[in-house]
C-alpha cells in the first residue's frame, strides 16, 4: 500500500504468474509488480503516454505510446527501450515500420511465436498488424470511418478499436470497441469480422449477443482454454465476462458506482481500465485507474450452480442446487437479488443469510422485491461470502453464479 500510481492503464503478466507489468499512464512510465513480495519497480520511463502493453516470451514488452503515436519495445534483460513502429507523427500510413503512422495506438497482442504484433489503432478505427520479421505494417480490419459494419478487411467498420486479445490457438483476434460498445472477433485467416456481444447502445444489460448492452469496454483477457473472455468496463464501473461458447455476458464485479470499495462482488466499486488473467485463470488482476490501485479477484472462488421452480408470481427461489465445491465451505452466504424492468437495473438488495453446508444441498431463498415498483420483468440472484484478502490485504469474496440467473417475477 506504500506504492503510488497515477492512472494505471493496461496490464500484462509473465508465464509464471509472478510478475505483473503495467503502464502508469499519467506518470509516463512502465512498471512491474513482484506478486510474491508485492513490491514495485521501474521498467522504463521513455514514454509520453504509455497505454497498451503486450508481453512476449517473458523477454520483450511492447507498449503502445498513445500520446506519441508509436509502438515501443522494451528488452527486459536490460530494460532498454526502442521504437518498434511509428515515426511519432499521428496519422495513418502502412509500410515500413519507420514510415508507418498510427493515431493513438492502444491495445496490443503478440502471437505465440512472436512473428506478428497486432495493434488496436483506436483513433484510426482500425486493427493493424506489424510483421516483426519483415518490419512492415498491414491492415487487418476497419476502413478508418467510425461506424459498425461486419466484413473482410477494409470492408468492415470499427468504432474506437481500443483493446485486443488473441485466442490461445492464434486463430482469432478479439476487439473491444470502446466507442461502439461491442466486443467483436476477427478470423485471422480471412480477416473477417463478426459480433460477439453488444448492440451498439451504451448501457448495462446482461444477455446473449446483441441482447447484451455494454458501456465503453476496455482491456480484454481470455482464459487459456479460450472459453471465457473478461473485459473491463470503466464507463460502467464494472468487470464483466463473456462465455465464448454461448456469447452470453455476466457480471464479475462492480455495482456501477464510480468509487472505491472493497468487499463482495455486489458492493465492490471499481473503475478499472486494465485487466489480465494469471496463466492458470484463477486470478483476475485489475488496474483500477481512477482509484490508482491494482486489485485482484480470486476466480477460484466462483461456483456455478443451478436453480429451478421459479415462475412469475413466485415468492421464493426453490430447489437451488449448490455445487459440492461450495458445500465444503460450511459458511454463511448472503444472497442478493436485482430486479430489471427491461432497460434499467435496480440496486442489489440483500436477503437474510443462509447456511450452505454438506447436509443441505438445496436451499429456498425468498425473492427480493426491489423498489422499482410494478414494472419489474425479471429478477437475478447472486450469493456470496467474504473470506480472502487481495494484494492490498483487502477483503474479496466467494461467489455463486446462477447459470439461469434471470427469472420472471410478479409485475
Amino acid at each position: 500500500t506504500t506504492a503510488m500510481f497515477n492512472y494505471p492503464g493496461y496490464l500484462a503478466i509473465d508465464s509464471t504468474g509472478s510478475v505483473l507489468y503495467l503502464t502508469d499512464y499519467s506518470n509516463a512510465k512502465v512498471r512491474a509488480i513482484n506478486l510474491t513480495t508485492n513490491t514495485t519497480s521501474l521498467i522504463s520511463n521513455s514514454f509520453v503516454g504509455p497505454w497498451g502493453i503486450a508481453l512476449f516470451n517473458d523477454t520483450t514488452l511492447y507498449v503502445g505510446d498513445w500520446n506519441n503515436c508509436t509502438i515501443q519495445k522494451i528488452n527486459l534483460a536490460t530494460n532498454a527501450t526502442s521504437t518498434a513502429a511509428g515515426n511519432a507523427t499521428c496519422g495513418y500510413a502502412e509500410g515500413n515500420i519507420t514510415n508507418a503512422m498510427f493515431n493513438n495506438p492502444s491495445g496490443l497482442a503478440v502471437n505465440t511465436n512472436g512473428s506478428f504484433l497486432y495493434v488496436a489503432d483506436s483513433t484510426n478505427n482500425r486493427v493493424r498488424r506489424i510483421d516483426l520479421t519483415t518490419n512492415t505494417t498491414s491492415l487487418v480490419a476497419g476502413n478508418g470511418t467510425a461506424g459498425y459494419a461486419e466484413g473482410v478487411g477494409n470492408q468492415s467498420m470499427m468504432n474506437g478499436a481500443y483493446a485486443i486479445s488473441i485466442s490461445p490457438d492464434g486463430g482469432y483476434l478479439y476487439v473491444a470497441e470502446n466507442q461502439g460498445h461491442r466486443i467483436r472477433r476477427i478470423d485471422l485467416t480471412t480477416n473477417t469480422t463478426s459480433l460477439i456481444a453488444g448492440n451498439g447502445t451504451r448501457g448495462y444489460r446482461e444477455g446473449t449477443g446483441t441482447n447484451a448492452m455494454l458501456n465503453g469496454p476496455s482491456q480484454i483477457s481470455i482464459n487459456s482454454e479460450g472459453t471465457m473472455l473478461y473485459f473491463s468496463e470503466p464507463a460502467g464501473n464494472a468487470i464483466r465476462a463473456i462465455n465464448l461458447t454461448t456469447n452470453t455476458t455476466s457480471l464479475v464485479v462492480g455495482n456501477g458506482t464510480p468509487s472505491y470499495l472493497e468487499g463482495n462482488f455486489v458492493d465492490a466499486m471499481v473503475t478499472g481500465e486494465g485487466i489480465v488473467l494469471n496463466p492458470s485463470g484463477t486470478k483476475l488482476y485489475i488496474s483500477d485507474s481512477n482509484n490508482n490501485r491494482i486489485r485482484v479477484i480470486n476466480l477460484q472462488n466462483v461456483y456455478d450452480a443451478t436453480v429451478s421452480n421459479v415462475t412469475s408470481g413466485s415468492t421464493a427461489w426453490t430447489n437451488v442446487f449448490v455445487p459440492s465445491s461450495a458445500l465444503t465451505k460450511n459458511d454463511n452466504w448472503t444472497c442478493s437479488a436485482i430486479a430489471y424492468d427491461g432497460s434499467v437495473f435496480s440496486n442489489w438488495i440483500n436477503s437474510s443469510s443462509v447456511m450452505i453446508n454438506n447436509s443441505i444441498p438445496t436451499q429456498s431463498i425468498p425473492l427480493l422485491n426491489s423498489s422499482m415498483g410494478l414494472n419489474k420483468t425479471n429478477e437475478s440472484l447472486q450469493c456470496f461470502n467474504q473470506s480472502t484478502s487481495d494484494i492490498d490485504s483487502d477483503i474479496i469474496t466467494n461467489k455463486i453464479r446462477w447459470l439461469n440467473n434471470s427469472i420472471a417475477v410478479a409485475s
Side-chain angles (χ1 to χ4, degrees):
T1 56
T2 59
M4 297 176 67
F5 304 95
N6 195 352
Y7 208 81
Y10 282 6
L11 303 174
I13 196 167
D14 75 343
S15 62
T16 65
S18 58
V19 181
L20 187 71
Y21 298 95
L22 66 127
T23 54
D24 195 0
Y25 176 77
S26 292
N27 280 325
K29 302 179 188 301
V30 171
R31 299 166 69 181
I33 301 175
N34 183 318
L35 295 174
T36 302
T37 62
N38 290 342
T39 55
T40 65
S41 59
L42 175 67
I43 299 297
S44 176
N45 58 7
S46 302
F47 302 96
V48 179
W51 192 246
I53 191 169
L55 177 63
F56 172 67
N57 202 31
D58 292 349
T59 61
T60 306
L61 271 179
Y62 293 96
V63 180
D65 200 350
W66 172 280
N67 293 344
N68 201 34
C69 294
T70 60
I71 313 301
Q72 299 294 316
K73 176 182 176 180
I74 304 174
N75 182 332
L76 290 176
T78 62
N79 288 350
T81 304
S82 59
T83 300
N87 58 18
T89 300
C90 298
Y92 175 69
E94 304 291 3
N96 185 276
I97 57 172
T98 57
N99 298 321
M101 296 169 65
F102 301 88
N103 200 350
N104 302 133
S106 182
L108 305 176
V110 62
N111 67 348
T112 53
N113 64 10
S115 58
F116 297 125
L117 178 68
Y118 295 92
V119 181
D121 197 1
S122 61
T123 304
N124 278 326
N125 300 299
R126 293 176 169 98
V127 175
R128 299 167 65 184
R129 188 183 76 175
I130 302 171
D131 187 319
L132 296 173
T133 302
T134 64
N135 290 332
T136 55
T137 70
S138 60
L139 177 70
V140 176
N143 63 11
T145 300
Y148 174 69
E150 304 295 359
V152 178
N154 62 9
Q155 296 174 4
S156 65
M157 296 173 68
M158 299 276 171
N159 192 354
Y162 204 60
I164 52 179
S165 184
I166 197 165
S167 62
D169 63 7
Y172 297 97
L173 196 68
Y174 292 87
V175 183
E177 281 188 311
N178 183 263
Q179 300 301 310
H181 312 295
R182 295 178 175 95
I183 303 294
R184 316 245 315 256
R185 187 178 75 173
I186 304 172
D187 185 323
L188 292 177
T189 302
T190 63
N191 286 351
T192 302
T193 69
S194 59
L195 178 70
I196 298 298
N199 59 19
T201 300
R202 177 177 180 169
Y204 175 75
R205 183 170 70 207
E206 305 298 0
T208 300
T210 56
N211 289 323
M213 294 173 65
L214 314 183
N215 191 352
S218 193
Q219 190 172 14
I220 53 183
S221 187
I222 302 171
N223 67 355
S224 60
E225 296 81 16
T227 57
M228 292 295 295
L229 180 149
Y230 296 85
F231 65 96
S232 60
E233 200 175 63
N237 304 293
I239 306 296
R240 297 168 69 184
I242 302 174
N243 183 318
L244 293 176
T245 302
T246 64
N247 289 350
T248 301
T249 68
S250 60
L251 177 69
V252 178
V253 71
N255 67 4
T257 302
S259 186
Y260 170 76
L261 181 68
E262 300 292 356
N264 60 68
F265 78 101
V266 172
D267 298 324
M269 299 179 186
V270 295
T271 56
E273 289 274 7
I275 60 168
V276 70
L277 284 165
N278 70 344
S280 62
T282 57
K283 293 183 178 181
L284 185 67
Y285 292 92
I286 304 171
S287 174
D288 198 350
S289 307
N290 284 331
N291 289 315
N292 296 304
R293 290 175 167 93
I294 306 301
R295 301 164 72 180
V296 64
I297 302 171
N298 190 341
L299 296 176
Q300 278 185 308
N301 296 344
V302 178
Y303 308 97
D304 286 336
T306 58
V307 63
S308 62
N309 294 345
V310 183
T311 58
S312 181
S314 294
T315 59
W317 295 77
T318 58
N319 292 345
V320 177
F321 177 76
V322 181
S324 59
S325 53
L327 293 177
T328 58
K329 289 191 171 293
N330 292 302
D331 284 337
N332 280 310
W333 293 69
T334 300
C335 295
S336 300
I338 187 169
Y340 176 57
D341 69 358
S343 62
V344 178
F345 279 91
S346 70
N347 294 323
W348 291 96
I349 302 173
N350 290 341
S351 73
S352 58
S353 296
V354 294
M355 173 64 78
I356 295 177
N357 57 44
N358 292 344
S359 62
I360 308 176
T362 60
Q363 298 290 325
S364 293
I365 301 169
L367 279 174
L368 302 167
N369 295 320
S370 76
S371 59
M372 294 183 67
L374 299 178
N375 60 347
K376 299 187 299 296
T377 59
N378 58 48
E379 191 171 80
S380 180
L381 181 73
Q382 308 274 4
C383 291
F384 62 88
N385 78 349
Q386 295 181 326
S387 63
T388 320
S389 296
D390 70 4
I391 58 178
D392 288 325
S393 299
D394 297 310
I395 297 297
I396 63 173
T397 62
N398 300 301
K399 170 183 172 183
I400 297 178
R401 176 176 56 199
W402 310 104
L403 297 184
N404 52 339
N405 66 346
S406 189
I407 55 91
V409 297
S411 60

